[in-house]
Amino acid sequence: MDHTRRSTPISLVEIAEQAGVSPATVSRAFNRPELVQAGTLERIMTVAGQHGFRPNRLGSSLRSGTTRTLGLVLPTLSNPVFADCFEGAETRARESGYSVMMTVTHYDPALEAAAVHRLIDHQLDGVILTVADPRRSTVLKTLKTRGMSYVLAYNESSAHPCSAVDNYTAAADMITHLAQLGHRHIAFVSGPLGLSDRAKSRLAGSRDRARALGLEPVKHYVMPSHTRSDTAAVRRLLGGASRPSALFCSNDLLATAVMASLRELGHAVPEDVSVAGFDGIRYGAVMSPGLTTIEAPGYEIGKTACHLLLEQIAQQAPRSQQVPHRLITGASAAPHAPGKTPGHNAVHRS
């Protein structure tokens, strides 16, 4: 059989004839490949590849009234957990024959609104998004008004379908761990709470668990952003009479930035002060010292959010699903020696 390229595109019917299957099976191979047996799918794709065939997605979308494309709105990709979220969502979407169109908002509510409106204009089938605060989000109201399916990723909400860890309980677990290491003065470090409901829940969980354990009240220190440390602010928080012996940062990127500030100030981690994070980014395990953190698995959060969205698109009722968290004990948080003053190993600069 001659499989050389032709001047006119090969049709689905001709691919079906050459692959020995029905035209419906060929259509299913391109639109719902997970429903086609592996051997049959390989045979169809081989024939299509020999003729350089690619399905006309635009024409198919116009005929079916769907684009088979999902939107994904994330705060940033500089934080590896959100890159993992994209990978999980894209993998699950691809399994069902969907593509993903992604945009980032840089933790800016105004950019959130603009991003969602752009995706609506593209007539996507549904959206996965992370917002600053679901309770105050105007874009969620817009999606509801437009009748577009959506699922929140990382945000927890009783009013909206979501895929997330229990941030409150996870943060409380970290406080318990630090308390078991002998730390009684623990500070919580984050960016502005108005830009992250996750950080707000983690602070609440930290404070409530510290109170229940009889620890000193957890003080909150705000950095310029959720991923950047302010060395001067770190110097001030360690300069008071009741200096914390452990710093619990609202995410791992911030924890690594705070550790860099501590080194700049001459403090050793964990000898002078323990540091813990939240997220469980992969390179945290190979840092020196390895990072103590809460793993909030981004890949699973993204994959779960996409599965929940596809359920809605298939006319199932919107629902939420919690993803389990896990405490990772690294070397960045160590037992606190009684009577030890944080920063006793610091290099005092004139």
Side-chain angles (χ1 to χ4, degrees):
M1 187 179 296
D2 183 9
H3 291 308
T4 57
R5 295 287 177 92
R6 315 176 330 168
S7 58
T8 57
I10 191 171
S11 68
L12 287 180
V13 172
E14 290 172 305
I15 292 175
E17 290 175 352
Q18 293 184 23
V21 298
S22 69
T25 301
V26 175
S27 177
R28 196 175 301 118
F30 285 107
N31 293 304
R32 297 294 302 275
E34 75 280 6
L35 300 181
V36 181
Q37 291 185 354
T40 303
L41 181 63
E42 182 179 1
R43 196 161 67 249
I44 292 169
M45 292 305 172
T46 297
V47 172
Q50 288 169 344
H51 294 284
F53 175 84
R54 297 297 300 163
N56 184 343
R57 297 292 187 192
L58 177 60
S60 175
S61 297
L62 291 173
R63 288 190 297 273
S64 66
T66 68
T67 61
R68 298 199 72 81
T69 303
L70 309 177
L72 181 59
V73 182
L74 296 171
T76 179
L77 286 184
S78 62
N79 188 334
V81 296
F82 291 118
D84 288 346
C85 178
F86 167 74
E87 186 176 342
E90 196 276 336
T91 298
R92 180 63 186 86
R94 185 165 16 97
E95 289 173 355
S96 294
Y98 282 78
S99 300
V100 175
M101 181 182 294
M102 191 195 66
T103 187
V104 296
T105 63
H106 305 289
Y107 293 96
D108 186 335
L111 291 179
E112 277 180 16
V116 169
H117 280 96
R118 282 198 307 273
L119 294 176
I120 290 174
D121 291 342
H122 279 87
Q123 298 183 338
L124 304 188
D125 294 343
V127 179
I128 301 165
L129 67 166
T130 303
V131 299
D133 187 341
R135 290 169 296 183
R136 300 201 304 261
S137 176
T138 59
V139 298
L140 297 181
K141 295 177 182 177
T142 299
L143 290 170
K144 276 190 170 182
T145 301
R146 296 293 189 94
M148 178 172 280
S149 300
Y150 68 91
V151 174
L152 293 169
Y154 291 98
N155 301 111
E156 296 175 85
S157 175
S158 58
H160 305 281
C162 60
S163 166
V165 298
D166 183 340
N167 288 282
Y168 177 94
T169 300
D173 288 347
M174 178 59 76
I175 296 299
T176 297
H177 173 66
L178 294 174
Q180 289 170 345
L181 292 175
H183 296 281
R184 295 191 57 80
H185 291 78
I186 303 168
F188 186 82
V189 184
S190 77
L193 293 184
L195 300 181
S196 173
D197 65 326
R198 285 85 65 203
K200 191 180 299 182
S201 292
R202 293 166 193 173
L203 173 60
S206 299
R207 284 180 161 165
D208 288 351
R209 181 59 56 86
R211 188 180 306 113
L213 293 174
L215 307 180
E216 295 296 323
V218 172
K219 293 183 178 179
H220 180 215
Y221 295 89
V222 181
M223 295 295 153
S225 79
H226 285 282
T227 57
R228 265 191 310 121
S229 173
D230 182 338
T231 301
V234 174
R235 180 189 289 111
R236 287 193 298 272
L237 75 89
L238 291 178
S242 58
R243 292 175 292 191
S245 61
L247 305 179
F248 179 20
C249 300
S250 63
N251 65 75
D252 287 350
L253 277 191
L254 183 57
T256 60
V258 166
M259 288 167 69
S261 290
L262 289 167
R263 284 193 296 270
E264 183 181 341
L265 295 170
H267 296 287
V269 176
E271 292 81 3
D272 293 326
V273 59
S274 289
V275 177
F278 197 115
D279 280 336
I281 57 177
R282 279 173 269 184
Y283 70 74
V286 298
M287 288 172 53
S288 182
L291 189 60
T292 293
T293 185
I294 293 289
E295 181 185 46
Y299 184 91
E300 289 302 321
I301 288 174
K303 183 177 180 181
T304 301
C306 187
H307 183 78
L308 296 174
L309 182 60
L310 292 173
E311 285 185 348
Q312 286 187 47
I313 293 170
Q315 304 303 312
Q316 296 183 41
R319 67 183 183 94
S320 298
Q321 185 170 328
Q322 193 173 89
V323 177
H325 66 274
R326 180 170 68 98
L327 176 70
I328 298 175
T329 56
S332 66
H336 177 56
K340 179 179 175 181
T341 302
H344 81 290
N345 287 329
V347 176
H348 296 286
R349 295 183 175 89
S350 56

